[in-house]
């Protein structure tokens, strides 16, 4: 049986309902931008804080700030300070400096998102729309960068 005949038979069987189509399969390679895993924490905090009461949203923002900015950032600064006399200190300073700034930015953005939804949910209730969550996430990221 030739390839074209098999292909036609497979197409007819798929049209008849015997084979389910697979919409997730795409031809060729697609460019996918690598996302920052720590930066996606802001999106998660926005999603969680938008569904909680005002005091829960505030606690989520404060907790995320403490864990990310104070915990992770402080740990990395401590590791950097421990290597002060090392000959690899300049390399570690550049590498850990990036992560420290990133942890600071994400921590501030999470705190701002939690504070926004605490105020919003206090007055309007926890029923934020998807577009509002997206706008708050973007604004929190922008303001988080400018707080440093």
């Amino acid at each position: 049986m030739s390839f074209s005949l098999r292909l036609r038979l497979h197409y007819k069987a798929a049209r008849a309902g015997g084979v389910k189509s697979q919409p997730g399969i795409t031809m060729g390679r697609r460019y996918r931008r690598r996302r920052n895993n720590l930066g996606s924490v802001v999106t998660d905090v926005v999603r969680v804080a938008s569904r909680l009461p005002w005091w829960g949203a505030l606690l989520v923002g404060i907790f995320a700030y403490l864990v990310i900015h104070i915990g992770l950032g402080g740990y990395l600064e401590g590791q950097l300070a421990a290597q002060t006399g090392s000959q690899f200190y300049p390399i570690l300073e550049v590498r850990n400096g990036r992560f420290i700034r990133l942890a600071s930015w994400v921590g501030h953005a999470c705190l701002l998102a939690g504070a926004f939804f605490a105020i919003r949910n206090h007055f309007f209730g926890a029923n934020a729309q998807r577009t509002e969550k997206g706008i708050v996430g973007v604004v929190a990221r922008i303001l988080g960068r400018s707080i440093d």
Side-chain angles (χ1 to χ4, degrees):
M1 185 181 292
S2 71
F3 177 73
S4 62
L5 180 60
R6 278 188 291 170
L7 187 62
R8 275 187 259 147
L9 290 175
H10 178 71
Y11 178 74
K12 286 181 182 179
R15 300 268 299 164
V19 177
K20 290 186 175 182
S21 64
Q22 299 173 348
I25 296 176
T26 58
M27 298 298 292
R29 295 183 183 198
R30 303 270 184 203
Y31 171 74
R32 288 192 176 89
R33 184 174 161 222
R34 286 179 35 188
R35 296 197 62 150
N36 182 357
N37 291 333
L38 194 58
S40 67
V41 171
V42 177
T43 305
D44 295 337
V45 167
V46 166
R47 187 178 303 135
V48 169
S50 67
R51 296 179 181 169
L52 294 174
W54 71 269
W55 53 270
L58 186 61
L59 285 176
V60 165
I62 291 172
F63 181 74
Y65 174 77
L66 290 175
V67 167
I68 295 169
H69 179 66
I70 306 296
L72 182 62
Y75 172 76
L76 290 173
E77 285 179 3
Q79 293 295 317
L80 186 61
Q83 299 293 328
T84 303
S86 173
Q87 67 184 30
F88 297 110
Y89 180 77
I91 297 170
L92 293 173
E93 183 180 21
V94 170
R95 181 157 173 84
N96 285 350
R98 291 178 185 167
F99 289 126
I100 291 168
R101 285 191 303 274
L102 180 65
S104 172
W105 168 63
V106 171
H108 286 126
C110 289
L111 182 65
L112 288 171
F116 171 80
F117 278 110
I119 294 168
R120 187 214 173 275
N121 293 351
H122 178 69
F123 292 110
F124 299 110
N127 57 359
Q129 301 296 320
R130 191 171 96 177
T131 55
E132 185 179 2
K133 292 177 194 175
I135 291 169
V136 170
V138 169
V139 170
R141 286 184 181 104
I142 291 170
L143 291 177
R145 285 189 188 237
S146 65
I147 286 178
D148 264 351

